[in-house]
Amino acid sequence: MSHPEGPLRPRLRLNMKWLKVNLKDVFTRDGLNSLWNELVRNDEVNRTDACTGTRLNSSGATARKGKSGHFYCGRRILTCTCCDGFCGPNDGCNCGPCRRLDGEDIEKQGPVALDINKVIDAWTWGEKPAVDELKDLIKQIVREQQRLCGNAANNMPSSNRIYQRMVIFERYYTAQMHNNHNCKPVTLSKPEQSDDANTWISKTFNDSNQDTPGISLLTHVGTRMGLSFMFAFLRRTWRSGEDIDVCSDFLQESLSILTSLPDTCLYKSTHLDNRWNDAVEMTMKFFTSIILSDDRTTKSALCIPVDDLSIALLIIFELAMKRASLQGLLQGILILLRLWESNKSNAKSWKRAPLVSLLHRLQSISVEKNSPSRTITEVSDSEIISPTDCFLRFLSLPKDERSPIDFRQAAVIIVSFLDKISESNRPTVENYHLSAPKTEVLGWGNINWSGDENNDGSLKIYETVAELGIKQIVCSSEDVIALTNNGRVYSLAYDARCESPVLLDSLLEVKIRKVVSNVDGEHYLALSSDGCIYSWGSGDGGRLGHGDINTRREPELVKELANKKVVQIACGSTYSAAVTSNGELYTWGRGSYGRLGHGNSEDRLLPTLVVGLSEFHIVGVACGGGDAHTLAVDKDGIVWSWGDGDYGKLGRGGSDCCKVPKVVETLKHHNKFIVKVLCGSQFSVALGKDGTVWTWGKSDNYRLGHGTLDHIRYPKMVEGLINHHIVDIAAEFIAGIACGPAQNFLWTSGGKLEIETHLPYCLEVSSGTFEKLNELIALVHDGLDGSCDWPPPSQQQECIAVAALNLLRLQLHAAITNGVTGEEIGLDPQRNLLGSLRQHLMDMASNHGVLTTVQNAAQLVLQTGWPLLLPTAEGRAKSLTDIVKDTGLSKSCGSGRCFMINLLVNSLVADGIEIILESAISLLASALSSRFDEQFIEHLAITDDENHSNNSEVIYCNSILLAISKHLIYSLSDIVISDMAMLTTDSFKDRKEIQYYDTKTAINLLNQLQRMLVFRVFEASKEPSNEKSFAKNIELHAALMLLDYYLASLSSNAYKIFKKAIQIVKNEEQFYAGIVDLVSKSVIGVLLPELAIDLLLLQSRMPDQVSKLSEITSLNALLNVLDEFNLLASDTSKEDESDMTWPEGII
């Protein structure tokens, strides 16, 4: 389609905004006008370019006519020297694509036009024309009519709207192309382990008198030997029957010792120290095998008294309580259930144990962890009451702690208490979504990114910045720097016209893990994951470390430290510092007041070792602003200070400056082990290992926290924090807050509850925990999966199932939040555990007849843990395809199946559709590469039917992409046809009650797939054909073939829908409006308009390839039936007449 509008000129800084555009808005009048006006306002499309002869050449570059009458694009791509390689601009040579534009202009001009009227008049009164003259005249008349028709079509409002939509779609895909080139997908990953100061602080706090490796090894060996001897003695005694009393006394003494210890006393030791873990695991494994008669170390039977078995059972639970171990308590619960199952048929067997004391302790813990339970009258009708809450509300434990209690009852009580304990840590439905956690960024102060001239400094949410996935924000005097979770660095000025962060392209190939700046400074440092430093900004005084004072607009590697592994970096207002992994401190930049620590006030243009600290292992450094001073701390917790000494901020009593590092004796005198230091504005802060905070220096505005305005010249402990154990400090950066000169920023975790991997009694992220939860769910699975109606599930089964599912959900949430992989916790796709657990969950979540409480709990587990339970996109897509093929998306699918469909669809939208698309392209490209011939390949088609795989003109592709797109389109179209049929009946008013599945999620998935597929072709169209590699060419053909297959599925189903609509409307005209409403909201109404614009856009960019798509011709039949349907509308002729008579001069 030709059109007088100017070409698109995208502004890269606006890409982030266009990625957020809802393309559906272009199909509404107000939405189209708004988006088009945005393009014009930002000068991304210009109406006046037509007057200057602007065109797009075949390489996609903008070309204009020069003084010579030829087209020039201005790119430096020529090899001739006469024009310095530039195409143009006025009288020089032009490139091949621009020369083709010249040729097109000549062809359009054609022969000199005849004056048709004069020729006809001459023939009327003169000599009759020859046959050739008549033919030439007819050709001229046809050409003139074509020109008039083209002008009329191009100037119609409908044509103008189509063109505007094409330009807006192109702008969206252009932004997507640049985004894909610059950024990899943001994913949550496990926090990197580094040697920086924060890691050292953490290690220091947790490191309390650790044994040396030699002592640790001896202790470990001795413990194992002692336990092995004890277990052998017990087996021999129980086997022989001799010294039974000795065994009983020994076990009772062991239980008494354990009981005397406080609960959780081994909690930190066991999950940090493997020596304790091994000892406890050996003991629990031995007693479990004894209790369950599963001791395989001896072939002869053991005659164990019931009292000894009871004590062994109590020891298992006591060990679990001392460790506060969920895994240990689950193991005890499984033992109780297996004992109950194996002994229930034997009236004389062991069925009870004295567990009342344990139950009382768990009850008191559950009360401490949670607020009092609500009464039944406080619960709303729509709320699902937890069966464990109901069970515990009416539970009355025996007062006599020696009273024996039934095994199964004890198991239900324990697991119910564990469910209650975990309740406060479980994520709620409201704050958990299928997508990855997103950061929320808020700002206030002198920020004007919204373009509002009357900025009041109030709190605002900045979504564009937040969508980057913020890991860290730092502020300088003029800019804010954002570090994302995937290591990308963005910059944005406080006075920027809009919220459009600029990616620092020079760091694209580098994984950055930390950025620093100073609120008074104009330069920045970035630390990569491999320990290299990059600097940019003002180079005044040599603060960038490149050997000069030049300003760098882009980050540049500090080569002087390239061979050093840097672990910490700091920025002062005019200087910089870095600490290496071997404890060396380097400083550079402005040297006033001796702030660099080299014994003088000279500037240093390159990083220079601080010789005065070369004999000490430095672990932390802090740089100040203004009249700067510097602080450092070594691995022994000693603090050093130097630089400007005003207000006593060096901590040595006076105000004199110091040009070499000196120890802050006050802290050393108090035997304070310092783990972190900070430089504020004319003051200093230090954090002690014991959690105390020390401040000194200028005390204006009570900034030191001592309740006085007097300046403090020696370190002084902040007494107001004595009763609080502080673990970290900050002066301008506090865990999610960054402060600028007149701006403040705060970022959050985006709604997902932050949680550790270990919490007492309710959380233990490990493979053993998941194995035991799976065993527990498997024990109660039969009868709860909806497979049988009788006998009904018992209350005990329901409580165990719901509690186990809730605990499982908490473990999955903690694992995902902390970036734990499935392989680390036993949920490897290759292992049986994942398959078994997933099958149990899917049965209880989707089957008909499952208890509401159990089904709801299972659905929440899947909703929370799908990244680990359904880790592969192909697996999720296959499960979705199987469900759709089995039950479709019709009214019969049921609420449980609807949940599974929504879960799988949303998980693919959040993370997966791009993966299966790339997999399909790769699979198809591999099949094409062996027989690639552009002439031959144009006639090939693809199929997912294996029966046609031997056809030479068909390529068999078993990609899940083909199956999921075909079946979803078919099922969604079937719903539309059913709804149209119901529209003519009385039952249509009951549709909402019958239809369970909301088709919007599935349509959204197909819409995303369609855009990605079109984008892959669009991206290839932007690359000059002569620069495409063989592999790229094959991928382009693979993408085109997939688009062809998708087009076939969509157009064939659209054809059926419109044929059905025509049939209904011809019989009953009153249903036309209702059918239009149904179709516009259906899969066809959403996807087809976008696809039409997409195809027009691709046709304008790569007409040869698009015109050869086999399914393009099938669109003719669809357009004919669509036109037939439109003609059934009462006001069609009026709209067409209005469109055709629109004034030619108006665009």
Side-chain angles (χ1 to χ4, degrees):
M1 176 187 293
S2 60
H3 204 282
E5 288 292 355
L8 182 69
R9 296 190 299 237
R11 303 287 187 257
L12 297 184
R13 64 182 176 84
L14 300 175
N15 281 343
M16 294 295 296
K17 181 177 73 174
W18 281 101
L19 287 175
K20 296 169 60 179
V21 165
N22 183 3
L23 289 182
K24 295 184 179 66
D25 290 343
V26 303
F27 298 104
T28 64
R29 184 176 296 276
D30 291 341
L32 179 61
N33 291 339
S34 175
L35 293 173
W36 182 256
N37 289 337
E38 277 292 307
L39 285 173
V40 175
R41 186 179 65 180
N42 294 319
D43 197 29
E44 293 191 283
V45 65
N46 193 339
R47 286 177 170 270
T48 62
D49 283 339
C51 301
T52 61
T54 300
R55 299 269 293 280
L56 285 178
N57 63 24
S58 59
S59 64
T62 302
R64 299 172 185 265
K65 271 192 176 182
K67 294 177 180 179
S68 64
H70 298 293
F71 281 95
Y72 301 100
C73 62
R75 294 185 301 162
R76 191 170 188 173
I77 57 175
L78 301 179
T79 56
C80 60
T81 56
C82 60
C83 307
D84 294 330
F86 286 98
C87 174
N90 294 315
D91 301 315
C93 305
N94 57 358
C95 63
C98 288
R99 285 197 294 272
R100 280 193 286 273
L101 289 180
D102 294 340
E104 290 174 7
D105 262 17
I106 295 173
E107 289 179 6
K108 286 181 180 179
Q109 293 171 5
V112 178
L114 299 173
D115 189 333
I116 298 173
N117 291 327
K118 286 184 178 181
V119 171
I120 294 176
D121 287 343
W123 289 344
T124 302
W125 304 105
E127 186 179 350
K128 298 301 180 183
V131 175
D132 291 340
E133 289 178 318
L134 282 173
K135 289 182 178 179
D136 289 340
L137 181 62
I138 291 172
K139 287 180 181 179
Q140 182 67 25
I141 293 173
V142 170
R143 192 157 43 239
E144 181 67 16
Q145 290 300 312
Q146 287 176 340
R147 184 185 67 81
L148 291 173
C149 290
N151 289 340
N154 282 339
N155 287 296
M156 287 192 301
S158 58
S159 172
N160 188 58
R161 288 193 292 270
I162 290 173
Y163 174 78
Q164 290 175 343
R165 288 168 182 145
M166 286 173 58
V167 174
I168 292 169
F169 270 57
E170 182 176 7
R171 183 63 186 91
Y172 171 82
Y173 288 128
T174 301
Q176 186 69 47
M177 186 172 65
H178 286 281
N179 183 64
N180 281 14
H181 173 70
N182 292 336
C183 302
K184 296 179 181 178
V186 177
T187 56
L188 282 180
S189 59
K190 208 170 183 179
E192 294 181 10
Q193 297 296 323
S194 61
D195 296 324
D196 63 9
N198 291 332
T199 304
W200 179 77
I201 293 172
S202 177
K203 290 180 179 178
T204 304
F205 276 122
N206 291 324
D207 182 19
S208 54
N209 300 321
Q210 293 290 328
D211 296 335
T212 61
I215 296 175
S216 176
L217 180 61
L218 288 174
T219 305
H220 194 188
V221 172
T223 302
R224 291 185 65 88
M225 289 181 63
L227 288 174
S228 298
F229 176 79
M230 182 191 74
F231 298 154
F233 170 74
L234 290 173
R235 286 193 191 95
R236 186 190 65 81
T237 301
W238 284 327
R239 183 170 54 249
S240 64
E242 300 175 358
D243 300 323
I244 291 292
D245 293 341
V246 176
C247 281
S248 300
D249 292 342
F250 175 77
L251 291 174
Q252 187 62 55
E253 183 66 22
S254 299
L255 178 61
S256 299
I257 293 173
L258 282 174
T259 306
S260 66
L261 297 174
D263 290 338
T264 74
C265 63
L266 296 179
Y267 171 63
K268 289 188 176 180
S269 301
T270 49
H271 81 258
L272 293 175
D273 193 334
N274 284 331
R275 291 175 298 171
W276 290 109
N277 263 332
D278 285 348
V280 173
E281 290 298 334
M282 283 182 65
T283 305
M284 295 187 75
K285 184 178 180 181
F286 169 74
F287 283 123
T288 299
S289 63
I290 293 299
I291 293 171
L292 297 178
S293 302
D294 192 27
D295 188 5
R296 300 178 182 178
T297 59
T298 177
K299 295 182 180 180
S300 55
L302 301 178
C303 300
I304 307 174
V306 171
D307 289 343
D308 287 0
L309 290 173
S310 296
I311 294 174
L313 180 62
L314 291 174
I315 287 176
I316 288 175
F317 276 109
E318 287 298 333
L319 285 172
M321 293 296 290
K322 305 316 171 193
R323 297 171 70 195
S325 167
L326 173 63
Q327 183 178 333
L329 289 169
L330 290 174
Q331 183 170 335
I333 292 168
L334 288 168
I335 291 172
L336 291 174
L337 292 174
R338 286 173 181 151
L339 286 173
W340 181 86
E341 188 66 32
S342 61
N343 297 336
K344 65 180 180 180
S345 59
N346 188 348
K348 297 182 179 180
S349 62
W350 177 42
K351 295 183 179 180
R352 296 170 176 267
L355 296 168
V356 176
S357 174
L358 170 71
L359 301 181
H360 277 292
R361 283 147 58 195
L362 285 172
Q363 185 179 43
S364 62
I365 294 170
S366 68
V367 172
E368 291 174 4
K369 294 281 184 180
N370 295 277
S371 57
S373 300
R374 293 173 295 171
T375 63
I376 292 180
T377 57
E378 296 176 308
V379 180
S380 64
D381 294 337
S382 60
E383 194 172 351
I384 298 177
I385 304 173
S386 170
T388 56
D389 276 349
C390 291
F391 177 77
L392 293 176
R393 185 178 289 119
F394 299 103
L395 175 67
S396 178
L397 294 174
K399 294 182 179 180
D400 186 359
E401 295 186 351
R402 294 173 297 178
S403 300
I405 191 166
D406 178 78
F407 289 148
R408 192 182 193 190
Q409 185 180 7
V412 175
I413 295 172
I414 294 171
V415 78
S416 298
F417 280 138
L418 294 180
D419 182 37
K420 190 70 175 176
I421 293 170
S422 70
E423 185 177 1
S424 61
N425 296 298
R426 291 198 300 267
T428 62
V429 179
E430 290 76 13
N431 70 7
Y432 213 96
H433 305 282
L434 281 172
S435 58
K438 293 180 180 178
T439 304
E440 185 177 17
V441 176
L442 301 93
W444 62 98
N446 189 17
I447 311 168
N448 198 29
W449 296 339
S450 60
D452 184 6
E453 295 181 359
N454 300 318
N455 178 30
D456 58 0
S458 60
L459 185 70
K460 295 181 178 67
I461 297 175
Y462 295 105
E463 296 181 358
T464 302
V465 177
E467 287 175 358
L468 298 174
I470 298 300
K471 177 181 179 181
Q472 182 190 0
I473 290 177
V474 297
C475 296
S476 70
S477 61
E478 298 179 352
D479 302 311
V480 59
I481 301 295
L483 174 65
T484 66
N485 291 321
N486 62 344
R488 297 285 182 258
V489 181
Y490 291 80
S491 174
L492 185 58
Y494 300 132
D495 58 357
R497 292 174 55 190
C498 61
E499 185 190 351
S500 298
V502 178
L503 177 69
L504 300 185
D505 293 336
S506 54
L507 293 177
L508 275 177
E509 303 301 323
V510 184
K511 179 67 179 293
I512 301 300
R513 65 179 179 87
K514 185 178 183 181
V515 290
V516 295
S517 183
N518 189 284
V519 72
D520 295 326
E522 299 177 354
H523 74 294
Y524 316 90
L525 299 181
L527 180 62
S528 68
S529 58
D530 56 359
C532 293
I533 299 178
Y534 295 81
S535 64
W536 69 101
S538 172
D540 184 37
R543 66 187 79 176
L544 298 183
H546 299 306
D548 54 45
I549 59 172
N550 298 332
T551 294
R552 263 77 171 178
R553 294 189 178 276
E554 290 289 331
E556 187 175 317
L557 176 68
V558 179
K559 298 178 181 177
E560 192 71 15
L561 295 175
N563 296 324
K564 304 282 185 179
K565 182 174 177 57
V566 177
V567 295
Q568 194 198 3
I569 51 178
C571 277
S573 56
T574 57
Y575 69 111
S576 308
V579 178
T580 65
S581 58
N582 59 1
E584 295 176 333
L585 174 63
Y586 290 81
T587 59
W588 62 97
R590 186 70 72 193
S592 306
Y593 306 104
R595 67 186 71 178
L596 300 183
H598 301 307
N600 53 49
S601 297
E602 297 177 1
D603 298 345
R604 298 297 174 111
L605 305 182
L606 292 170
T608 305
L609 177 68
V610 180
V611 179
L613 295 175
S614 58
E615 296 181 1
F616 303 92
H617 190 105
I618 303 301
V619 295
V621 64
C623 300
D627 297 334
H629 67 299
T630 310
L631 299 177
V633 60
D634 66 20
K635 70 174 183 178
D636 297 319
I638 297 174
V639 177
W640 307 73
S641 65
W642 63 96
D644 179 68
D646 287 349
Y647 308 103
K649 59 191 173 192
L650 296 184
R652 287 193 285 274
S655 297
D656 297 336
C657 71
C658 180
K659 298 182 180 180
V660 293
K662 290 186 178 180
V663 174
V664 180
E665 295 290 347
T666 301
L667 294 171
K668 187 176 181 181
H669 175 74
H670 284 283
N671 294 320
K672 291 300 175 182
F673 192 108
I674 301 301
V675 296
K676 187 174 183 178
V677 289
L678 275 175
C679 293
S681 178
Q682 302 288 3
F683 70 101
S684 305
V685 187
L687 172 64
K689 179 182 176 181
D690 57 358
T692 57
V693 177
W694 300 70
T695 61
W696 62 98
K698 191 174 183 179
S699 190
D700 287 7
N701 300 316
Y702 302 98
R703 69 183 72 181
L704 300 183
H706 300 305
T708 177
L709 294 175
D710 296 335
H711 306 320
I712 307 298
R713 300 184 181 276
Y714 293 97
K716 183 177 180 180
M717 185 169 61
V718 180
E719 296 181 358
L721 297 175
I722 289 178
N723 295 325
H724 303 275
H725 188 90
I726 309 301
V727 297
D728 202 357
I729 54 173
E732 295 165 353
F733 188 90
I734 306 176
I737 299 177
C739 304
Q743 305 82 12
N744 301 284
F745 297 93
L746 177 148
W747 64 99
T748 70
S749 59
K752 279 198 176 181
L753 183 67
E754 296 296 332
I755 194 169
E756 300 178 12
T757 57
H758 287 76
L759 288 175
Y761 306 111
C762 63
L763 179 59
E764 190 173 351
V765 178
S766 66
S767 59
T769 303
F770 284 99
E771 288 171 359
K772 288 173 175 55
L773 284 171
N774 183 51
E775 291 178 39
L776 190 56
I777 292 171
L779 284 176
V780 295
H781 175 263
D782 293 340
L784 284 175
D785 59 351
S787 58
C788 58
D789 297 329
W790 194 265
S794 64
Q795 183 188 26
Q796 289 90 344
Q797 276 184 291
E798 183 183 10
C799 287
I800 293 172
V802 171
L805 290 169
N806 288 339
L807 289 168
L808 176 60
R809 181 171 169 233
L810 178 59
Q811 315 309 305
L812 290 168
H813 166 62
I816 293 169
T817 302
N818 289 278
V820 180
T821 63
E823 289 77 6
E824 294 178 88
I825 52 178
L827 298 180
D828 189 331
Q830 308 302 322
R831 294 185 58 181
N832 294 331
L833 173 60
L834 177 60
S836 173
L837 191 59
R838 180 170 56 211
Q839 189 60 54
H840 291 151
L841 291 170
M842 292 180 72
D843 287 345
M844 291 188 285
S846 61
N847 286 358
H848 180 71
V850 179
L851 292 174
T852 303
T853 53
V854 175
Q855 188 166 70
N856 182 65
Q859 290 177 355
L860 287 175
V861 174
L862 287 169
Q863 184 177 337
T864 301
W866 69 264
L868 291 173
L869 296 170
L870 304 164
T872 64
E874 288 83 358
R876 279 177 268 141
K878 186 179 184 307
S879 298
L880 176 61
T881 304
D882 290 342
I883 294 175
V884 174
K885 286 171 63 178
D886 182 29
T887 61
L889 302 176
S890 64
K891 59 188 178 183
S892 61
C893 64
S895 59
R897 289 299 176 97
C898 285
F899 165 80
M900 284 306 304
I901 293 171
N902 277 322
L903 173 74
L904 293 168
V905 167
N906 284 325
S907 68
L908 287 171
V909 170
D911 175 31
I913 193 64
E914 186 174 3
I915 295 173
I916 63 174
L917 173 59
E918 293 302 322
S919 175
I921 291 176
S922 176
L923 190 66
L924 190 55
S926 177
L928 290 175
S929 60
S930 60
R931 54 197 228 182
F932 187 76
D933 179 350
E934 289 201 34
Q935 299 298 324
F936 172 68
I937 209 171
E938 292 169 359
H939 305 287
L940 287 178
I942 56 175
T943 180
D944 59 347
D945 188 352
E946 197 169 1
N947 296 326
H948 294 89
S949 59
N950 295 325
N951 190 333
S952 60
E953 295 186 357
V954 172
I955 291 184
Y956 169 66
C957 180
N958 63 346
S959 169
I960 191 63
L961 179 74
L962 305 182
I964 194 173
S965 59
K966 180 176 74 175
H967 290 292
L968 277 179
I969 291 173
Y970 176 81
S971 294
L972 290 167
S973 300
D974 188 50
I975 290 176
V976 182
I977 294 173
S978 299
D979 285 347
M980 286 193 298
M982 291 175 63
L983 183 65
T984 61
T985 65
D986 294 335
S987 61
F988 186 74
K989 60 184 178 181
D990 301 323
R991 178 180 178 273
K992 290 184 179 179
E993 298 178 8
I994 299 174
Q995 182 66 44
Y996 293 103
Y997 179 67
D998 184 2
T999 58
K1000 290 180 181 178
T1001 54
I1003 294 174
N1004 185 33
L1005 175 66
L1006 288 171
N1007 196 7
Q1008 190 181 72
L1009 170 61
Q1010 177 177 294
R1011 289 179 184 175
M1012 287 183 178
L1013 195 50
V1014 171
F1015 168 72
R1016 283 303 305 268
V1017 181
F1018 173 84
E1019 188 177 29
S1021 73
K1022 285 289 188 178
E1023 188 176 350
S1025 57
N1026 58 342
E1027 297 179 10
K1028 290 177 184 171
S1029 64
F1030 176 74
K1032 289 286 185 183
N1033 229 352
I1034 291 182
E1035 287 183 5
L1036 170 59
H1037 278 82
L1040 283 168
M1041 293 176 74
L1042 289 172
L1043 180 60
D1044 203 30
Y1045 182 92
Y1046 174 83
L1047 179 59
S1049 297
L1050 190 64
S1051 61
S1052 62
N1053 283 280
Y1055 183 85
K1056 288 192 301 182
I1057 288 174
F1058 285 112
K1059 289 296 282 185
K1060 180 67 175 178
I1062 291 169
Q1063 178 187 345
I1064 294 174
V1065 174
K1066 281 185 176 180
N1067 294 329
E1068 299 175 272
E1069 294 181 2
Q1070 69 271 22
F1071 293 119
Y1072 183 86
I1075 287 178
V1076 169
D1077 182 60
L1078 279 176
V1079 173
S1080 63
K1081 296 176 182 178
S1082 71
V1083 60
I1084 301 303
V1086 173
L1087 300 183
L1088 200 56
E1090 277 199 29
L1091 187 59
I1093 300 298
D1094 286 330
L1095 291 174
L1096 287 172
L1097 175 61
L1098 295 178
Q1099 173 72 17
S1100 68
R1101 293 290 171 262
M1102 45 196 318
D1104 293 340
Q1105 288 90 337
V1106 174
S1107 62
K1108 292 172 183 174
L1109 291 175
S1110 61
E1111 291 301 326
I1112 286 291
T1113 55
S1114 68
L1115 287 179
N1116 292 330
L1118 176 59
L1119 291 174
N1120 289 334
V1121 74
L1122 181 58
D1123 191 44
E1124 183 182 354
F1125 177 74
N1126 287 333
L1127 290 174
L1128 295 176
S1130 58
D1131 54 353
T1132 304
S1133 58
K1134 184 184 296 185
E1135 290 186 3
D1136 288 346
E1137 183 179 352
S1138 174
D1139 202 26
M1140 291 296 293
T1141 56
W1142 189 264
E1144 182 176 325
I1146 298 177
I1147 297 176

